[in-house]
Amino acid sequence: MIRPEMAKRIAHLKELARQQSQQHLVQAIDHKQQEDHRLQEMLRFQLQQEKMLEQFLEGASPLPAGFWSQWDLYQQRMKEQIHFQRQKVEQAAHRMEEKRQEVISRSVDEKMWFKLNQMILLKQLAEAQRRAQKELDELASHRHAYRS
């Protein structure tokens, strides 16, 4: 049987593990938000560049030589970067979900140890009460035996 001190210590360690998992979850959520923000910035920048191109094309200025090949290269790289950033967002979301599940698992584990600790304490209390009652019963029987 586990001693109460040991059960209490294990319950405390489980609580610390849960708290650490919660901190990791907060970090994962923050990381995902940062990656989302970067993706949104990239998409905004891409839209700005397309609007600038439209404005430039509306003007009567001639296009420099090789402009369209450079523009296509730029668009291709931008799409690759956006695709890569979307993958990073997905990875961050996956990591965040893993951390959330870890917090849930550790919370359940912590509650189990807390309940076990409570059961051990209740059992000890019942044992102490039983011993006290036994002593009282013995004292009463001795007292009754001396009176008779």
Side-chain angles (χ1 to χ4, degrees):
M1 181 167 162
I2 297 177
R3 293 185 324 230
E5 303 85 31
M6 181 64 83
K8 186 175 181 179
R9 179 73 178 143
I10 291 172
H12 177 69
L13 291 174
K14 296 294 182 177
E15 178 185 5
L16 292 176
R18 180 192 46 80
Q19 289 173 352
Q20 184 180 31
S21 292
Q22 286 175 327
Q23 290 172 347
H24 290 161
L25 175 59
V26 168
Q27 291 170 351
I29 290 170
D30 190 42
H31 179 70
K32 183 187 179 296
Q33 289 173 344
Q34 290 173 359
E35 295 298 337
D36 277 334
H37 180 71
R38 285 186 193 120
L39 177 61
Q40 295 306 316
E41 287 295 317
M42 292 173 85
L43 292 171
R44 266 190 239 112
F45 184 73
Q46 184 182 32
L47 284 174
Q48 287 175 350
Q49 294 299 314
E50 289 172 0
K51 286 180 183 179
M52 287 174 59
L53 176 65
E54 288 174 13
Q55 290 173 353
F56 185 74
L57 292 175
E58 288 174 0
S61 304
L63 294 173
F67 174 81
W68 289 113
S69 63
Q70 291 294 321
W71 178 255
D72 287 340
L73 182 61
Y74 166 76
Q75 286 291 328
Q76 181 183 354
R77 287 186 181 158
M78 190 64 165
K79 286 179 183 178
E80 288 172 358
Q81 288 176 352
I82 289 172
H83 177 72
F84 180 70
Q85 187 62 31
R86 281 192 173 125
Q87 287 178 334
K88 287 174 75 174
V89 168
E90 288 175 16
Q91 289 170 352
H94 181 69
R95 179 168 167 75
M96 184 181 73
E97 187 56 34
E98 286 176 349
K99 295 300 177 183
R100 181 175 282 122
Q101 291 301 320
E102 184 179 320
V103 168
I104 291 169
S105 172
R106 291 193 179 206
S107 293
V108 168
D109 195 34
E110 177 190 7
K111 286 179 185 177
M112 180 193 69
W113 277 100
F114 178 77
K115 287 181 181 180
L116 179 64
N117 189 32
Q118 293 298 316
M119 287 174 28
I120 290 171
L121 291 175
L122 288 174
K123 192 173 184 179
Q124 272 190 328
L125 180 62
E127 180 68 28
Q129 287 175 341
R130 192 172 45 84
R131 274 187 264 133
Q133 186 62 45
K134 184 178 178 182
E135 284 181 31
L136 289 174
D137 290 347
E138 286 176 6
L139 284 174
S141 67
H142 287 295
R143 192 180 224 191
H144 182 65
Y146 288 127
R147 286 187 181 179
S148 307

